[in-house]
Amino acid sequence: MGEKGNHAVQDTVIVDGDVYMDSRVIAWELHRAHKDILEKVRRYTTDSLDSYYIDKQGKRRTSYLVSRDGFILMNIQGRVDERLRILHRYDMAKSVTTIDKQLNALRHDLNESGVVRPWINPRYQLDNLKSIYKDVTGDDTPRGFYDSIGDWMGINVPYSHRLKITVRDWILQNIPIEKIKEFVTGIQSHTIVRSERGHWICLGGFDNNTVEWDKIVNEFHGKCAYCGEEKPLLPEHIIPQTVLSKEHPELVDRIQNVVPSCSDCNHSKLRYNWERWFKSQPFYTESRFNAIKRHINKYKM
């Protein structure tokens, strides 16, 4: 087994182009004790990387980063849907990595060709991106460009009569130019497209860009979409991954299928139909139900 340093707990990590999952995540997903997963790794697979974490007492504890093949070799018995969910996360992470490589290659080609040039003055950069946006969308109005940036970021771009500066300068002061570049590059590569209602979405899913997760959280005012509590939030799939991935795997991580959820609601909902589950909860409110419905319809393709 190779030696790697401390890694933050997340679903998957990329090491030298390969997808690995932390043994603690595997234990959590399978509802097993972490020590049992560690034993499985030691007994059945060499396709893993040594890792560690620091517990609440400040002690260094052993963990492993396990590859997809390593997980299969562990021969874990139990619920099929739980194992399939883990395999799906490996596969989705690999797909995202492939898309990232394609986007990086596209960005490199655009930079080499001079289409996107490293302007020193950010005003020139924004004007250059506006020109690319016009060529791709056919919209040659500055306001159309500014509103599209605002829609992608999930903010309202004010009109000039409400400002003491130009709208262009307001955008440059409030929105990082790198996020605008990401948006325009996505439109140009057709990985960012409009929903049925005209809102911009990323086809690669919310975790394949730097904007959509923050936009989702802000849409629900930093609270759990279900119980409305201000707690640590994580992405919750409205239609469960194991259900949607059977017929439409490309829709699993798109923004229309993701809302912010506290861990209690996420664990309670599991694979249930979200409407029936939500209406059976003591914290159900019609306003939050309608907010989720609006979110789905807003970004539906």
Side-chain angles (χ1 to χ4, degrees):
M1 297 182 184
E3 175 69 24
K4 288 289 174 184
N6 193 8
H7 292 261
V9 180
Q10 50 185 306
D11 281 4
T12 54
V13 295
I14 307 299
V15 180
D16 297 330
D18 294 319
V19 180
Y20 290 83
M21 186 176 293
D22 194 289
S23 53
R24 288 171 290 166
V25 176
I26 295 175
W28 183 83
E29 287 287 347
L30 297 177
H31 307 289
R32 304 288 184 88
H34 186 220
K35 65 179 182 179
D36 295 336
I37 299 302
L38 294 178
E39 181 62 26
K40 288 279 189 181
V41 174
R42 296 185 184 113
R43 290 183 61 186
Y44 293 111
T45 180
T46 58
D47 199 0
S48 62
L49 302 174
D50 293 345
S51 186
Y52 65 90
Y53 64 97
I54 305 301
D55 67 13
K56 294 181 180 179
Q57 287 73 42
K59 295 181 180 180
R60 176 170 166 150
R61 301 293 187 183
T62 297
S63 64
Y64 293 110
L65 298 179
V66 184
S67 71
R68 188 184 191 280
D69 289 341
F71 173 74
I72 294 173
L73 289 172
M74 288 165 64
N75 193 30
I76 296 177
Q77 303 299 315
R79 289 174 52 180
V80 174
D81 63 318
E82 293 176 342
R83 286 177 286 160
L84 287 176
R85 182 168 63 244
I86 291 178
L87 291 174
H88 173 69
R89 290 192 177 186
Y90 277 112
D91 294 338
M92 289 298 295
K94 189 66 176 179
S95 297
V96 168
T97 301
T98 300
I99 294 174
D100 281 342
K101 290 179 180 178
Q102 293 171 345
L103 287 176
N104 288 334
L106 176 61
R107 293 187 184 103
H108 178 268
D109 291 342
L110 290 174
N111 286 328
E112 288 296 313
S113 67
V115 175
V116 178
R117 296 183 290 275
W119 294 102
I120 296 175
N121 189 326
R123 291 189 179 93
Y124 296 160
Q125 293 185 59
L126 185 62
D127 288 345
N128 188 49
L129 292 167
K130 182 173 66 175
S131 178
I132 298 171
Y133 172 87
K134 180 192 74 172
D135 291 341
V136 176
T137 65
D139 183 356
D140 61 356
T141 64
R143 189 68 220 181
F145 178 53
Y146 300 152
D147 284 341
S148 283
I149 293 174
D151 181 76
W152 172 245
M153 296 296 300
I155 60 177
N156 293 319
V157 176
Y159 283 81
S160 57
H161 69 273
R162 296 180 177 271
L163 301 169
K164 295 181 178 180
I165 58 175
T166 66
V167 177
R168 180 176 67 171
D169 286 341
W170 184 92
I171 286 177
L172 290 171
Q173 289 179 14
N174 290 275
I175 302 175
I177 194 68
E178 291 303 321
K179 292 188 183 295
I180 301 175
K181 286 181 180 179
E182 178 183 54
F183 170 58
V184 173
T185 302
I187 292 176
Q188 193 170 39
S189 63
H190 304 292
T191 57
I192 294 177
V193 300
R194 288 190 186 274
S195 69
E196 289 181 356
R197 298 194 175 183
H199 298 283
W200 293 104
I201 67 170
C202 179
L203 294 179
F206 75 96
D207 56 353
N208 195 39
N209 62 81
T210 62
V211 170
E212 286 188 313
W213 172 241
D214 290 337
K215 182 163 65 175
I216 297 170
V217 172
N218 291 334
E219 182 180 347
F220 288 89
H221 310 291
K223 300 177 181 179
C224 174
Y226 297 115
C227 69
E229 295 291 328
E230 291 188 23
K231 297 179 179 179
L233 300 173
L234 45 83
E236 206 286 314
H237 293 83
I238 299 171
I239 301 177
Q241 299 177 72
T242 52
V243 175
L244 192 56
S245 62
K246 293 177 181 178
E247 295 186 0
H248 299 287
E250 75 282 0
L251 300 180
V252 170
D253 287 326
R254 286 194 191 160
I255 187 172
Q256 71 187 72
N257 192 47
V258 177
V259 292
S261 169
C262 67
S263 59
D264 290 338
C265 289
N266 179 263
H267 295 164
S268 173
K269 176 177 165 289
L270 294 176
R271 298 182 68 230
Y272 295 115
N273 173 278
W274 79 272
E275 295 188 28
R276 289 197 294 269
W277 171 83
F278 189 25
K279 289 181 177 180
S280 70
Q281 302 305 309
F283 48 73
Y284 169 81
T285 66
E286 187 174 354
S287 62
R288 285 200 295 273
F289 178 86
N290 290 336
I292 296 173
K293 294 286 285 188
R294 285 195 299 272
H295 171 84
I296 296 170
N297 292 329
K298 181 178 182 179
Y299 297 110
K300 183 179 178 182
M301 288 292 293

